[in-house]
Amino acid sequence: MSERFGVIGSGSMIALQTMERRKKNSEVSVVKADKRSDNYIDITDKASVDAFFAEHAQSFDFAILFAAITDVNAAESERDNKDGMTWKVNVEGTRNVAEACKVHGKNLIFFSTDFVFDGTNGKGK
């Protein structure tokens, strides 16, 4: 059985590495999407996410979300700033994709950074 993926944030380093490894498997089909591809998506814009899923959801079973702000220092500089790009991408963007997956019956595979917070003092472990 063929695996079918919608790769959101397909231009990211981890997405490129992951897809390079999967490319060797002829049973994998991929719909690549990001802000610089033919399949445009801006995860911070709900209408953009909805349009992408409306057009492409029938082409994949799993959505893999690689799009994120991964610079921990930049994210920390925007702590508690719900108007900042980190919040827009990592919280609202992720929510937009998760909601679209739910509406279209798609499984979501989500990656995060390896910087972990202990949940009590707001500082990384």
Side-chain angles (χ1 to χ4, degrees):
M1 174 181 243
S2 176
E3 296 174 315
R4 304 178 322 149
F5 298 97
V7 180
I8 300 168
S10 60
S12 72
M13 183 171 45
I14 190 169
L16 292 171
Q17 292 296 316
T18 300
M19 292 302 101
E20 183 65 28
R21 288 192 169 104
R22 298 300 298 171
K23 181 163 55 169
K24 296 173 186 169
N25 184 341
S26 62
E27 296 296 312
V28 173
S29 65
V30 175
V31 176
K32 296 178 183 177
D34 65 26
K35 290 173 90 172
R36 293 178 294 274
S37 77
D38 292 338
N39 298 316
Y40 179 86
I41 188 170
D42 176 354
I43 66 169
T44 66
D45 178 4
K46 185 174 179 351
S48 175
V49 173
D50 291 344
F52 170 77
F53 273 79
E55 184 174 346
H56 297 288
Q58 73 283 357
S59 301
F60 60 86
D61 303 306
F62 299 90
I64 307 176
L65 180 56
F66 289 109
I69 302 293
T70 59
D71 181 336
V72 174
N73 292 329
E76 277 296 306
S77 73
E78 292 185 359
R79 180 184 286 271
D80 299 323
N81 180 1
K82 292 187 178 181
D83 294 322
M85 189 53 66
T86 301
W87 182 270
K88 288 178 181 178
V89 172
N90 291 359
V91 176
E92 294 173 8
T94 301
R95 179 184 304 126
N96 291 338
V97 173
E99 287 175 354
C101 284
K102 185 175 181 179
V103 167
H104 291 274
K106 303 302 172 187
N107 295 298
L108 175 61
I109 301 170
F110 175 79
F111 290 84
S112 185
T113 66
D114 63 351
F115 199 85
V116 179
F117 295 91
D118 66 12
T120 58
N121 67 9
K123 295 183 180 172
K125 282 184 157 180

